[in-house]
Amino acid sequence: DTGVSQDPRHKITKRGQNVTFRCDPISEHNRLYWYRQTLGQGPEFLTYFQNEAQLEKSRLLSDRFSAERPKGSFSTLEIQRTEQGDSAMYLCASSSPGTGTYEQYFGPGTRLTVT
Amino acid sequence: AQKVTQAQTEISVVEKEDVTLDCVYETRDTTYYLFWYKQPPSGELVFLIRRNSFDEQNEISGRYSWNFQKSTSSFNFTITASQVVDSAVYFCALSEEGGNDMRFGAGTRLTVKP
């Protein structure tokens, strides 16, 4: 296991369609985070999981967004009824604070384009 | 509320010049963590350094050095003898006790010209 992986790397969808992204964290990391990054900005926190529990959600995470981490391993982020404003890079990160690893390690991201 | 300000939007230097990237933060917590990440053109964020709020000792790693000053709420990053491969967007970030959500600055785009 060499790092955080995300799939797909790119997604083009039409407005109104649903999309789902997957993130596989570093295997021994119990925390998993989702961020969104738009052009020229830093990543913005969306939500995070500790094991399978979703412990915090940002106000940025509207009702159309849902995230899961069913077995405490990989996570999915679904966006329903996509809007053009959802176009962004969606980043996943993982960490393991229990072992002192407070830094988050990021995946390559999924770039979403809503047309 | 936590906030990170990177006032320098873009910096351009010529190779071998030294360059300092500024980061100023705001937090009400006494325990917090500061980070620097590099985002090269390929897009993947690369972790560079973490600093605890209790540890104001400066750190040097090769050509990179970091200056943490609680008195001015700053965590600046210096690259010595810059190289073209240092060209990237650099982000400063802050997380409070518990290390949950990380608040990023807007980033500084560094261009190193040959």
Side-chain angles (χ1 to χ4, degrees), chain B residues 54-73:
Chain B
F54 335 110
D55 184 3
E56 286 194 70
Q57 198 170 17
N58 292 329
E59 183 157 337
I60 298 175
S61 176
R63 296 184 297 107
Y64 295 171
S65 62
W66 291 270
N67 185 323
F68 176 29
Q69 292 194 344
K70 287 177 77 170
S71 61
T72 56
S73 298

Side-chain angles (χ1 to χ4, degrees), chain A residues 20-89:
Chain A
T20 300
F21 310 140
R22 177 181 169 123
C23 170
D24 287 88
I26 294 172
S27 58
E28 61 268 28
H29 286 182
N30 60 350
R31 285 197 181 179
L32 185 149
Y33 309 79
W34 285 100
Y35 290 83
R36 181 173 70 186
Q37 185 178 21
T38 53
L39 201 61
Q41 299 297 317
E44 296 173 294
F45 170 78
L46 293 178
T47 187
Y48 94 94
F49 293 83
Q50 178 148 316
N51 300 313
E52 64 275 9
Q54 187 174 17
L55 297 186
E56 191 169 337
K57 292 194 288 187
S58 161
R59 287 175 294 175
L60 292 174
L61 211 65
S62 76
D63 292 343
R64 298 184 296 105
F65 288 69
S66 63
E68 294 183 343
R69 195 184 183 195
K71 297 182 180 178
S73 56
F74 73 92
S75 175
T76 58
L77 177 68
E78 181 183 17
I79 308 174
Q80 296 183 325
R81 305 180 303 282
T82 52
E83 302 172 357
Q84 287 188 323
D86 297 331
S87 295
M89 177 76 86

Side-chain angles (χ1 to χ4, degrees), chain A residues 6 32-38 42-48 60 77 88-94 104 106 109-110, chain B residues 37 45 93-95 99-104:
Chain A
Q6 293 186 247
L32 185 149
Y33 309 79
W34 285 100
Y35 290 83
R36 181 173 70 186
Q37 185 178 21
T38 53
E44 296 173 294
F45 170 78
L46 293 178
T47 187
Y48 94 94
L60 292 174
L77 177 68
M89 177 76 86
Y90 290 85
L91 298 167
C92 177
S94 69
Q104 297 177 19
F106 284 80
T110 295
Chain B
Y37 284 84
L45 280 159
L94 164 72
S95 70
N100 300 335
D101 66 310
M102 191 180 295
R103 184 65 56 91
F104 284 82

Side-chain angles (χ1 to χ4, degrees), chain B residues 11-20 63 78-84 86 110-114:
Chain B
I11 299 177
S12 181
V13 299
V14 177
E15 208 169 18
K16 297 184 183 177
E17 285 186 26
D18 298 347
V19 58
T20 295
R63 296 184 297 107
T78 297
I79 302 174
T80 303
S82 59
Q83 300 176 2
V84 172
D86 296 327
L110 173 65
T111 302
V112 181
K113 299 178 181 177

